[in-house]
Amino acid sequence: MNILGLNYAFHDSTACILQDGALVVAIEEERLSRHKHTYAFPRLSSDRCLKDTRLTYSDIDHIAVSIKPTLHLGKKLLYGIKLLPKIKSFISQELLRLYNNQKNFWAWYNSHWPESSTHRPTVHFVPHHMSHMAGTFYASPYESAALLSLDGSGEWSTSFLGHGTGTEISIISESFFPMSLGSFYEAATQFCGFRPNYDEGKTMGLAPMGDPTIYHDLVDRMVTIEDTGNIHIDLSYFNYQRLTHERCSDKFYATFGQPRHKGGEFHDNHLNVAAAFQRVLEEKVLRICDILHAKTKEKYLVIAGGVSLNSVMNGRILRESKFEDLYVMPAAGDNGTAIGAAYYAYNHILKQPRHTVHDSPYLGTEYSNNDIEKVLSECKLKAEYHDDICAATAEILQRGEIIGWFQGRMEIGPRALGNRSILANPAYANMKDKINLEVKHREAYRPFAPSAPLEHVKDYFEMDKEDPFMLKVCYVRPDKRDIIPAIVHVDGSARLQTVKEDINPRYHELLTKFGQLSGVPVLLNTSFNIMGEPIVESPMDAIRCFFSTGLDKLILGNYVITKQ
């Protein structure tokens, strides 16, 4: 049974394929179109998924889409009537966009399976938050768990608290727009001069630079978590509820001062707002976790939605909640809803048993050494071939050079996890500034993440759980912070990736061989791209990025390329 999963109604358009319940490929449209966080219909990614699995469209039995167009339509219309001064914006964003999305889908569907076809796949429309939850729970290692989905707004719902057992998912409570923790945090993101619903990771990284106590009590009063787990926001500070680009109200600016303009200097009020909003987000989600634990009595938490990409928050959940561990899929945002819709169709609608754990993010495209040779020849580039590419690369890194590392299948999700990565030696104290300035072309304060073999994690980090997807921030051991300074944030934290040999043997081997040379099996790992662009997908993308940045070497498969 072949199921094609699609996300096209929300940002980060994505396609994936399940074969008999196994997730065999998942590709974000942005990697192929080169438009970051694209809303475009995933034509390129669905074509590529089929190509990489050697299937044709006639082989597809079911299509699962991460939207149910009629869901909460009454709630939306009532809200729109109350927004009469902004009714055009409401109609454009909530009705016309939905209509055009569905029109594009059915045009695409009929182009591949016209009415004359002998076989037409069944289409399943799955609610957005159910897609978030199904894609995470059904692919998690847990037979039962508490479920939490949080984002800005998905089909008018902003949160989903539930309980998963086997293939059954039950709802405990749900909040609706404009009562949204995601939108609450977007306002702080915009105030700090970043793009809302896009740059929330920058706000999270900025937060440790400020003092959360300055505005904490005020921000804390903006959000109430009811005993049911429902969210209530004091909307007098915000403007997002009017469906305008401006997230903050005049009262917000009167309270916190002038916002930072894009590219401008950071002032204390910007840093302190980021710190307070981050702290309050963590505290409110911990409150929700307490409610969920009390209602489900489960040991484990499964969390999804765009807010679940806040890895600092996840780290606090791991350390401070009553749950023993939590599972966050690598594509926890809207990209992962394609996977979730497919799993919901397979496990819930079609009543098939669960048998897959999504423990590997490496689900995308792959290029062989032969493919790489052809590209090198076309570009007239000289390269050195190494049988033991890990040993050769470890020596390069030990010398303090910054490399682009392009190997195996591309990752799904926003984090580069060792196959489309920029790597460096974390022992150099100036390495963070050097990469931000010369390679990534981004804000100087932004930290970089470490990768370490799972068996060495406790030697360097205060972490006793696996974190293969880099979504649970922990603290670097105090006695190791001076040894690997380039990956230590100002508060002593790090967004760690734990690497297992059986999941990514080549990256594990590189870390091990680097450790044998340097004495420290830890590498600085950041995504192979520059600010504003998607992670590289192909050898040509990698070559283009290499020659337009301050990277010293490019490792493509077994080839090492040096700038002349």
Side-chain angles (χ1 to χ4, degrees):
M1 182 190 301
N2 297 314
I3 300 176
L4 176 64
L6 299 175
N7 167 43
Y8 61 76
F10 305 95
H11 57 83
D12 296 301
S13 304
T14 301
C16 72
I17 290 177
L18 263 61
Q19 287 189 305
D20 296 325
L23 181 59
V24 293
V25 62
I27 301 173
E28 293 152 280
E29 185 77 4
E30 68 165 31
R31 304 294 174 85
L32 303 173
S33 70
R34 309 309 298 161
H35 297 293
K36 194 168 185 178
H37 297 311
T38 183
Y39 284 82
F41 191 88
R43 288 181 173 83
L44 298 174
S45 51
S46 57
D47 287 347
R48 189 57 183 265
C49 284
L50 288 163
K51 178 183 177 182
D52 287 0
T53 52
R54 298 181 181 178
L55 296 174
T56 66
Y57 280 98
S58 61
D59 295 316
I60 299 300
D61 302 300
H62 297 268
I63 299 174
V65 180
S66 62
I67 185 174
K68 192 166 185 176
T70 57
L71 189 67
H72 304 312
L73 191 57
K75 284 185 173 68
K76 289 183 183 181
L77 291 174
L78 285 173
Y79 192 86
I81 292 170
K82 296 176 183 177
L83 279 180
L84 283 176
K86 297 289 183 181
I87 193 69
K88 287 185 178 180
S89 177
F90 172 81
I91 291 172
S92 174
Q93 291 185 43
E94 297 300 329
L95 300 181
L96 290 180
R97 188 172 68 86
L98 175 63
Y99 171 78
N100 289 327
N101 282 337
Q102 293 306 104
K103 182 180 178 181
N104 289 338
F105 169 75
W106 287 114
W108 169 85
Y109 180 91
N110 289 320
S111 70
H112 290 291
W113 301 278
E115 292 185 7
S116 58
S117 300
T118 56
H119 167 73
R120 303 183 90 195
T122 304
V123 179
H124 307 278
F125 292 105
V126 182
H128 180 76
H129 276 281
M130 186 60 75
S131 297
H132 272 311
M133 288 293 29
T136 306
F137 174 58
Y138 289 146
S140 77
Y142 312 136
E143 179 61 25
S144 64
L147 310 179
L148 176 60
S149 177
L150 295 166
D151 63 9
S153 174
E155 295 172 321
W156 223 242
S157 177
T158 63
S159 73
F160 178 103
L161 281 69
H163 191 189
T165 304
T167 58
E168 295 301 315
I169 294 177
S170 60
I171 184 170
I172 293 172
S173 68
E174 197 170 11
S175 298
F176 296 96
F177 188 82
M179 303 305 165
S180 167
L181 280 175
S183 298
F184 158 84
Y185 200 81
E186 286 174 13
T189 297
Q190 188 173 64
F191 181 80
C192 292
F194 306 128
R195 181 175 168 184
N197 198 26
Y198 188 97
D199 285 334
E200 278 65 37
K202 295 183 181 181
T203 309
M204 181 185 73
L206 184 67
M209 314 290 286
D211 182 349
T213 66
I214 301 296
Y215 298 127
H216 176 273
D217 291 349
L218 177 59
V219 176
D220 180 70
R221 290 194 293 272
M222 294 180 187
V223 184
T224 303
I225 305 299
E226 299 170 2
D227 292 342
T228 57
N230 288 88
I231 300 161
H232 181 79
I233 306 290
D234 180 352
L235 296 174
S236 66
Y237 289 92
F238 303 99
N239 210 33
Y240 66 80
Q241 67 272 21
R242 296 181 177 87
L243 304 181
T244 65
H245 172 72
E246 193 66 42
R247 263 53 169 192
C248 308
S249 71
D250 291 341
K251 184 177 179 180
F252 193 107
Y253 299 131
T255 303
F256 299 115
Q258 289 299 307
R260 171 181 173 262
H261 296 291
K262 183 179 179 180
E265 291 185 20
F266 290 103
H267 297 297
D268 286 347
N269 65 320
H270 308 133
L271 304 180
N272 295 334
V273 162
F277 273 72
Q278 174 65 34
R279 177 70 61 83
V280 169
L281 174 70
E282 296 165 11
E283 292 170 350
K284 300 304 179 181
V285 174
L286 282 168
R287 162 77 174 138
I288 293 174
C289 287
D290 285 343
I291 294 168
L292 260 177
H293 186 270
K295 290 182 179 293
T296 64
K297 310 299 183 186
E298 289 289 350
K299 292 182 179 180
Y300 304 110
L301 173 68
V302 164
I303 183 169
V307 176
S308 73
L309 292 171
N310 193 302
S311 49
V312 175
M313 177 190 77
N314 294 340
R316 282 198 68 183
I317 293 172
L318 186 62
R319 293 189 299 272
E320 299 178 33
S321 78
K322 296 180 177 68
F323 295 108
E324 293 181 12
D325 201 356
L326 69 153
Y327 176 84
V328 194
M329 71 180 297
D334 285 355
N335 41 14
T337 62
I339 298 170
Y343 270 115
Y344 187 82
Y346 184 78
N347 292 124
H348 185 83
I349 297 175
L350 301 173
K351 306 298 183 184
Q352 297 298 309
R354 293 172 57 187
H355 59 76
T356 298
V357 175
H358 183 10
D359 57 2
S360 171
Y362 311 107
L363 297 166
T365 54
E366 183 174 18
Y367 294 86
S368 67
N369 279 323
N370 287 337
D371 296 326
I372 292 167
E373 286 176 16
K374 292 177 183 176
V375 174
L376 292 174
S377 177
E378 290 171 6
C379 296
K380 299 180 181 179
L381 292 175
K382 293 182 179 180
E384 295 180 3
Y385 181 90
H386 293 267
D387 288 319
D388 191 343
I389 192 63
C390 291
T393 303
E395 291 179 2
I396 294 169
L397 290 165
Q398 174 64 1
R399 294 197 296 265
E401 297 189 54
I402 306 167
I403 69 163
W405 175 254
F406 184 102
Q407 304 291 330
R409 296 187 71 182
M410 180 174 61
E411 304 91 334
I412 182 75
R415 310 291 180 228
L417 298 169
N419 279 8
R420 303 288 187 275
S421 290
I422 290 171
L423 304 177
N425 188 334
Y428 291 87
N430 68 336
M431 190 61 76
K432 179 177 81 76
D433 292 338
K434 186 177 176 67
I435 297 175
N436 272 329
L437 177 66
E438 298 178 7
V439 180
K440 301 287 283 189
H441 308 310
R442 67 182 198 177
E443 298 88 353
Y445 76 86
R446 293 178 64 186
F448 291 108
S451 297
L454 181 61
E455 59 271 25
H456 292 291
V457 163
K458 291 182 181 180
D459 297 333
Y460 296 89
F461 304 93
E462 295 176 355
M463 170 69 86
D464 59 359
K465 305 292 184 183
E466 293 185 27
D467 186 9
F469 308 140
M470 207 183 278
L471 286 170
K472 304 171 188 175
V473 163
C474 64
Y475 287 98
V476 183
R477 289 172 57 97
D479 59 319
K480 296 296 194 295
R481 293 176 187 177
D482 290 338
I483 296 174
I484 46 177
I487 57 85
V488 183
H489 204 14
V490 293
D491 59 352
S493 68
R495 195 179 66 214
L496 172 67
Q497 177 198 5
T498 61
V499 182
K500 293 174 69 174
E501 185 176 10
D502 60 331
I503 299 296
N504 194 332
R506 177 162 281 195
Y507 192 38
H508 186 277
E509 181 184 358
L510 174 62
L511 287 162
T512 301
K513 289 188 172 177
F514 176 76
Q516 291 168 352
L517 274 180
S518 67
V520 180
V522 179
L523 284 174
L524 182 156
N525 173 17
T526 187
S527 55
F528 197 163
N529 65 334
I530 61 173
M531 187 172 68
E533 290 191 2
I535 295 172
V536 301
E537 180 272 327
S538 67
M540 189 64 78
D541 293 337
I543 289 169
R544 188 179 295 113
C545 188
F546 173 60
F547 281 105
S548 62
T549 64
L551 288 170
D552 297 305
K553 296 281 195 305
L554 173 60
I555 318 297
L556 291 174
N558 286 71
Y559 289 93
V560 178
I561 303 168
T562 304
K563 291 174 182 173
Q564 302 300 314

